[in-house]
Amino acid sequence: MEVLMSILIGLLFACAVYLMLSKSLLRIIIGTGLLSHGAHLMLLTMAGLKRGTVPLLGENALFYTDPVPQALILTAIVISFGVTAFFLVLAYRAYQELGTDNVEDMKGTE
Amino acid sequence: MSLLHLAIIAPFILAFFVPFFYKKIKAVHTGWFVLILPAILFAYFLRFLPAVKNQGAIQETVNWIPSLGIDFTAYVDGLGLLFALLITGIGSLVVLYSIFYLSKAKENLGSFYVYLLMFMGAMLGVVLSDNLIVLYTFWELTSFSSFLLIGYWYHRERSRYGAQKSMLITVFGGLAMLGGFLLLYFMTGSFSIREIISQAGDMTGDPFFIPALILVLLGAFTKSAQFPFHIWLPDAMEAPTPVSAYLHSATMVKAGIYLVARMSPVFAEEGTWFWLVSIFGIITLVWASFNAVKQTDLKAILAFSTVSQLGLIMSLLGIGAAALHYTQLNDNIYMAATVAAVFHLINHATFKGSLFMVAGIVDHETGTRDIRHLGGLMHLMPITFTIALIGTFSMAGLPPFNGFLSKEMFFAAMVNVLSLDIFNLETYGVLFPVLAWVGSVFTFIYSMILLFKTFTGKQPAQKWEKKPHEAPLGMLLSPIILAALVIVFGLFPNILSASIIEPAADAIMPAFAEAGQAFNVNITMWHGFSAELYMTIAVVVVGLFLYVFLPKWKHIYNIFPKKLSLNALYDQGLVRTEKISKNMTNAYMNGSIRSYMIYIFIAFIGILSYSMIEKKAVSFELSNLAPIGVYEIVLAIIITVASITILFAKSRLTSIIALGAVGYTVALFFVLFRAPDLALTQLVIETVSVALFLLAFYHLPKMSRKEERIRFKMASAVVSLGVGVVVTLIALSAHNNKLFDSIAQYYIENTKEQAGGANMVNVILVDFRGFDTMFEIAVLGIAALGIFGMIKLRLSRRQDG
């Protein structure tokens, strides 16, 4: 399972990087979205998959999955959401002010 | 803090007060206030003469940074004292001269004397410091104050050019020298020159020894304008003439000489030192004297002459180093070279100082320094002419002036090289006397040009700016004193020998003094019919011949193309460096964010793949894996399809929806992998995110709404594929190389007992690791405020009205 997940994560990263290298601002932000999905899945995969039950003590199971990466991912999701939201509004403002979403047109004049 | 330290610091203290004198007391020329200090200091340093002669060095220490071994140790021995006397003595005369040279009404005297005093203090610090770091500090201060003085008339382009050039070259050398000093410190563990000299013998085999030697010499050669670093000195002639006389003939350019002399006990036993110092010295001598002949500006001739004379002194110091290899000899003839170096050092300061002042007077009285527009001044300015005659004849090495004596000693030292039998000198030794003789012939020629083209012959056809007459007495006073010294030292050289030359030579070659072989310097005007006398006669004969036929052979200077001169090389080098760095920066800093991302990703791929291969970290162990279920395969296929759809989607709306699909599938993965809280959060957040994306999409400007696919670019594809592969490899390898178990067991055991909760993830978030959560809340808060600010704050529109 981990091999499959690793390849999937690699695929997500590759797509994210390809999007981030495009010209459209919106696509770049979509790329960051994919990248954070990849990173979250990677965190989860690295802890090992399917090693027990849900980390709730009420289950009374013998094995639980590792709760630590889940806590880390939860933090990461919220933070990446905050940043993505900020970026989106930034892009929206950039559209409004500059009238373009092409990053190649946003070069500063030297 | 002793009186000695106060003496070194005093110029800086006075420099602080000079602007007050300048602003408050307008009636009196500021120079008069300044003049007092060097005169007092000169008298003060004169008092050291008997003490240094009889008891040796005087040492006073003030702690500066004791933890690093950096103490301000003032150390007065023969060499330091000789320089201190030169600095303060000629300093007084130069200040006196400048009082009459610089106009009170037109010039900004405050700055001038501040810079000059700074320079004087720095120079005293250089020659009287025993600590290398302190020496370096003062050394750079001399560079800075010289920079300020050369650029004194900063509205002139040439001044700024000269100041920049001298700054670049001398600071380059200064930094090299600092490197050499640090290497010395690594070898000996001390910054004190005394300590280093006492350990000199242990260093010879050290791998740092030769680099340290070369770096220290780089500092000395750049400061003392040795070939090929001499190019800054002729351009430094844009400074006011008192500055040229003081810094660029008598003191600062001799800092390098001082350094070589001071470091001789450390390095002189090494053959490299002998070769570098003597060869560069003699090449400088010949090259600069050859070039001096073609100059037409008085100060340019003097500048090249200074360079060549510094080369002479340098080569003598190099030859003097050979003396160390002959400790057994009772009559150590190579030691005479060191004595000659010290003697010529004094002589050069006297006659060159006076000649610069003469050039200043001529400039002051006629308005030009170009020898093509000068002539026939002898009758108009008899006193100036007399001083110039004494100075130039001394420079050319004619009796009965002091230049003659040191030139004879120079020839004697060079002839003695012939009998050296170390460092392959049997083969190449003959170069030294030949080059020395050639250099002296050219020295003779330019000395004659300097004197006769200026003062004799017909007056030029066009009138000078001013009607020339004899300079005021105040202006003449300093050159008269210096010219008088030229004659006195010429006729009675032994008043110097016992008092100052012997202690100085002792300081340069302490090994001999310790062995009880004190020098008995006895310089006489008449030394019999020796080889050096015939050489001098030949110099005069050939020099006169060449001087008379100068117009016939002058065109040989045109053979050497100007494009290949060292100045052109320097200028081109500077222009090229700027151009290359500009082109380089423009080549990779192209302003496109895509390029920068590509650099970053390529670096990411390169560094990670290199280190994984280098450390053999890639591993594909397939044990210890979870089984693959059908659901996961389906979800993986959905994610794959959705992400590829984003890449090839023509419409942005499709890509947003596909991104949403990926997000929801990730949530489903969280469900499958037993993470209910994550799944919950992911679902909610993905929904909000997609809504935000749609908002941004809706507000796209109309003009670029034209939907199109991402244009395929090979570079992007390769880079993104590389990143994907590297990440996959890292994920696989990391998973296979787990070194120890998770700490999860602790949380599983203690969530209930210690924190009183059943949901482990939530307990970790708010209890075990609550700090993370707090700042994550802060992140959200900041994002919210930022978004609010971005939308509400419209400064540009407010300005537009």
Side-chain angles (χ1 to χ4, degrees):
Chain A
M1 190 69 234
E2 279 87 350
V3 177
L4 179 71
M5 288 307 287
S6 296
I7 294 168
L8 192 66
I9 291 159
L11 178 86
L12 279 173
F13 268 77
C15 294
V17 169
Y18 191 81
L19 284 167
M20 287 161 95
L21 292 176
S22 73
K23 276 193 262 175
S24 149
L25 199 54
L26 195 68
R27 283 193 170 117
I28 292 177
I29 300 175
I30 292 176
T32 60
L34 276 188
L35 197 73
S36 47
H37 286 320
H40 299 156
L41 282 181
M42 189 151 169
L43 269 171
L44 200 67
T45 312
M46 287 301 100
L49 297 170
K50 301 213 251 181
R51 295 279 155 73
T53 179
V54 189
L56 296 171
L57 285 176
E59 298 289 315
N60 285 326
L62 232 57
F63 298 106
Y64 294 98
T65 44
D66 194 336
V68 182
Q70 294 196 14
L72 295 182
I73 294 167
L74 197 62
T75 313
I77 288 175
V78 175
I79 288 174
S80 68
F81 166 71
V83 175
T84 306
F86 185 84
F87 276 169
L88 268 171
V89 177
L90 194 64
Y92 159 70
R93 290 284 294 127
Y95 294 152
Q96 280 189 334
E97 294 289 321
L98 304 173
T100 178
D101 84 324
N102 186 342
V103 284
E104 296 294 312
D105 295 344
M106 293 184 189
K107 279 186 196 172
T109 47
E110 282 178 44
Chain B
M1 189 86 172
S2 64
L3 200 58
L4 188 56
H5 286 99
L6 191 68
I8 296 173
I9 302 293
F12 293 105
I13 300 170
L14 183 60
F16 184 77
F17 289 105
V18 161
F20 294 103
F21 291 128
Y22 178 60
K23 293 270 179 206
K24 295 289 168 203
I25 309 173
K26 297 253 186 216
V28 185
H29 196 286
T30 318
W32 291 111
F33 300 109
V34 177
L35 180 60
I36 305 161
L37 181 75
I40 293 174
L41 288 177
F42 183 67
Y44 173 73
F45 283 117
L46 271 182
R47 282 179 46 238
F48 280 93
L49 275 176
V52 167
K53 175 68 190 162
N54 299 326
Q55 306 148 26
I58 291 149
Q59 190 168 338
E60 301 277 357
T61 304
V62 168
N63 283 355
W64 184 18
I65 316 174
S67 57
L68 299 178
I70 299 171
D71 293 315
F72 186 6
T73 305
Y75 183 84
V76 186
D77 61 353
L79 187 66
L81 187 58
L82 161 66
F83 273 91
L85 286 172
L86 277 181
I87 293 160
T88 49
I90 297 191
S92 322
L93 295 176
V94 161
V95 171
L96 178 66
Y97 177 77
S98 69
I99 292 172
F100 293 92
Y101 186 84
L102 292 173
S103 146
K104 194 169 68 176
K106 287 183 204 146
E107 305 288 354
N108 182 5
L109 292 174
S111 320
F112 180 78
Y113 286 111
V114 167
Y115 303 156
L116 198 71
L117 281 170
M118 260 170 65
F119 169 77
M120 191 182 291
M123 203 60 212
L124 279 177
V126 167
V127 299
L128 295 179
S129 297
D130 182 51
N131 193 290
L132 288 176
I133 296 298
V134 177
L135 193 155
Y136 171 73
T137 311
F138 283 119
W139 183 279
E140 292 296 24
L141 268 175
T142 66
S143 293
F144 289 142
S145 45
S146 163
F147 168 79
L148 291 169
L149 283 167
I150 297 169
Y152 177 63
W153 287 310
Y154 51 81
H155 46 85
R156 295 185 191 168
E157 199 271 330
R158 292 295 304 171
S159 293
R160 297 198 302 270
Y161 171 80
Q164 187 205 33
K165 193 174 186 179
S166 74
M167 183 77 162
L168 285 176
I169 293 178
T170 52
V171 167
F172 158 74
L175 286 173
M177 188 183 81
L178 178 65
F181 286 173
L182 292 177
L183 289 181
L184 280 176
Y185 177 72
F186 290 141
M187 285 187 284
T188 61
S190 172
F191 281 125
S192 160
I193 299 175
R194 292 304 103 201
E195 289 265 320
I196 291 171
I197 289 173
S198 69
Q199 299 184 36
D202 311 335
M203 282 190 286
T204 29
D206 203 293
F208 286 153
F209 187 65
I210 297 287
L213 186 158
I214 290 169
L215 288 172
V216 168
L217 274 188
L218 255 180
F221 284 176
T222 48
K223 197 75 160 184
S224 277
Q226 297 295 298
F227 185 89
F229 306 111
H230 65 275
I231 49 171
W232 66 266
L233 206 140
D235 282 305
M237 289 302 128
E238 294 301 321
T241 304
V243 172
S244 311
Y246 188 37
L247 275 70
H248 306 127
S249 75
T251 52
M252 187 179 90
V253 287
K254 294 205 169 109
I257 303 276
Y258 167 80
L259 188 72
V260 169
R262 182 56 90 202
M263 288 294 169
S264 277
V266 183
F267 295 116
E269 288 211 44
E270 179 65 43
T272 321
W273 175 269
F274 170 86
W275 276 113
L276 286 177
V277 176
S278 53
I279 285 287
F280 272 93
I282 206 105
I283 289 176
T284 311
L285 164 68
V286 175
W287 179 250
S289 58
F290 175 69
N291 272 302
V293 175
K294 75 170 173 184
Q295 305 299 324
T296 53
D297 179 85
L298 283 182
K299 279 175 87 174
I301 299 177
L302 288 172
F304 276 103
S305 147
T306 303
V307 174
S308 95
Q309 303 276 316
L310 291 168
L312 187 156
I313 301 172
M314 198 64 97
S315 67
L316 280 173
L317 285 175
I319 304 289
L324 282 180
H325 297 268
Y326 291 96
T327 37
Q328 303 89 342
L329 285 178
N330 265 340
D331 183 22
N332 201 326
I333 46 175
Y334 306 108
M335 205 48 226
T338 307
V339 173
V342 175
F343 190 40
H344 195 71
L345 182 77
I346 304 169
N347 294 342
H348 176 251
T350 54
F351 67 69
K352 192 53 64 63
S354 70
L355 283 176
F356 265 110
M357 291 176 186
V358 164
I361 291 172
V362 169
D363 187 16
H364 211 264
E365 298 303 324
T366 62
T368 179
R369 293 193 315 243
D370 195 325
I371 51 170
R372 288 168 301 188
H373 304 141
L374 286 169
L377 286 170
M378 187 165 62
H379 305 295
L380 296 167
M381 306 162 78
I383 303 175
T384 317
F385 170 68
T386 314
I387 300 165
L389 183 126
I390 296 168
T392 46
F393 277 25
S394 178
M395 182 158 75
L398 297 176
F401 307 109
N402 58 5
F404 171 69
L405 300 173
S406 42
K407 181 73 52 108
E408 292 294 279
M409 293 163 77
F410 169 59
F411 280 153
M414 291 297 155
V415 171
N416 282 338
V417 172
L418 291 176
S419 52
L420 275 177
D421 52 4
I422 43 171
F423 318 135
N424 289 332
L425 271 174
E426 305 88 347
T427 347
Y428 303 106
V430 70
L431 271 176
F432 284 93
V434 170
L435 286 176
W437 186 80
V438 172
S440 298
V441 170
F442 282 107
T443 307
F444 184 85
I445 300 171
Y446 72 67
S447 300
M448 294 307 116
I449 292 175
L450 197 65
L451 182 67
F452 292 120
K453 295 261 164 138
T454 314
F455 289 99
T456 62
K458 274 185 285 183
Q459 290 189 14
Q462 80 267 38
K463 283 285 155 215
W464 292 303
E465 283 172 38
K466 302 163 185 168
K467 203 170 157 46
H469 52 79
E470 191 56 83
L473 180 67
M475 213 179 208
L476 285 170
L477 208 54
S478 303
I480 286 174
I481 294 171
L482 286 171
L485 286 176
V486 169
I487 297 178
V488 170
F489 292 160
L491 295 179
F492 312 104
N494 288 318
I495 55 165
L496 285 175
S497 56
S499 56
I500 187 82
I501 295 179
E502 284 173 19
D506 275 339
I508 299 174
M509 295 278 151
F512 291 98
E514 278 166 26
Q517 287 178 298
F519 299 107
N520 275 317
V521 179
N522 196 15
I523 306 163
T524 50
M525 186 67 90
W526 179 250
H527 41 72
F529 289 102
S530 52
E532 51 266 32
L533 186 68
Y534 296 123
M535 280 170 86
T536 304
I537 293 169
V539 164
V540 175
V541 172
V542 177
L544 271 179
F545 178 78
L546 284 176
Y547 172 65
V548 172
F549 293 104
L550 182 63
K552 299 246 189 268
W553 58 272
K554 214 173 176 181
H555 61 270
I556 64 156
Y557 284 107
N558 300 329
I559 295 172
F560 194 67
K562 235 184 178 152
K563 268 187 195 163
L564 290 175
S565 72
L566 286 166
N567 268 318
L569 213 67
Y570 165 86
D571 290 336
Q572 282 302 310
L574 218 56
V575 172
R576 289 266 162 78
T577 320
E578 274 176 23
K579 208 185 249 168
I580 288 172
S581 71
K582 187 165 183 248
N583 287 346
M584 252 174 74
T585 312
N586 283 348
Y588 74 91
M589 299 294 280
N590 54 8
S592 150
I593 192 168
R594 185 171 175 270
S595 313
Y596 304 152
M597 298 281 263
I598 286 182
Y599 304 150
I600 293 169
F601 286 127
I602 285 178
F604 172 85
I605 298 168
I607 293 167
L608 285 178
S609 50
Y610 172 77
S611 49
M612 279 205 297
I613 293 164
E614 182 66 25
K615 295 282 169 200
K616 300 188 173 56
V618 188
S619 74
F620 294 101
E621 210 181 318
L622 294 178
S623 63
N624 197 21
L625 294 177
I628 302 175
V630 183
Y631 295 119
E632 288 95 338
I633 292 177
V634 173
L635 289 184
I637 289 170
I638 294 173
I639 284 193
T640 312
V641 170
S643 8
I644 290 173
T645 311
I646 299 176
L647 295 190
F648 294 102
K650 195 173 170 197
S651 122
R652 291 191 182 83
L653 194 59
T654 320
S655 23
I656 292 168
I657 289 166
L659 179 69
V662 173
Y664 289 126
T665 322
V666 168
L668 287 179
F669 262 123
F670 288 150
V671 172
L672 282 182
F673 294 143
R674 325 273 200 271
D677 299 294
L678 289 186
L680 224 84
T681 319
Q682 179 68 32
L683 276 174
V684 174
I685 277 180
E686 199 57 40
T687 313
V688 180
S689 295
V690 168
L692 274 171
F693 272 108
L694 289 173
L695 173 82
F697 167 78
Y698 180 75
H699 284 279
L700 263 182
K702 293 208 167 46
M703 51 184 191
S704 65
R705 271 233 187 129
K706 192 175 56 151
E707 300 279 6
E708 57 179 30
R709 272 197 195 94
I710 306 181
R711 281 238 232 84
F712 180 77
K713 286 209 172 87
M714 200 61 206
S716 305
V718 171
V719 167
S720 50
L721 212 66
V723 171
V725 170
V726 166
V727 168
T728 307
L729 285 180
I730 290 176
L732 287 173
S733 312
H735 188 257
N736 288 334
N737 288 333
K738 271 203 186 122
L739 298 178
F740 37 76
D741 277 340
S742 163
I743 52 165
Q745 204 51 39
Y746 171 84
Y747 291 111
I748 293 167
E749 280 164 12
N750 288 302
T751 299
K752 186 87 186 173
E753 279 167 37
Q754 306 241 341
N759 185 334
M760 285 183 244
V761 174
N762 285 1
V763 168
I764 289 174
L765 280 175
V766 298
D767 200 315
F768 289 117
R769 298 177 58 88
F771 261 117
D772 288 0
T773 313
M774 185 171 89
F775 288 109
E776 157 197 344
I777 293 166
V779 167
L780 270 189
I782 291 167
L785 284 175
I787 289 166
F788 181 76
M790 267 197 297
I791 290 172
K792 285 290 173 190
L793 201 62
R794 298 289 157 90
L795 286 179
S796 64
R797 287 192 190 169
R798 198 179 298 163
Q799 275 162 3
D800 291 344

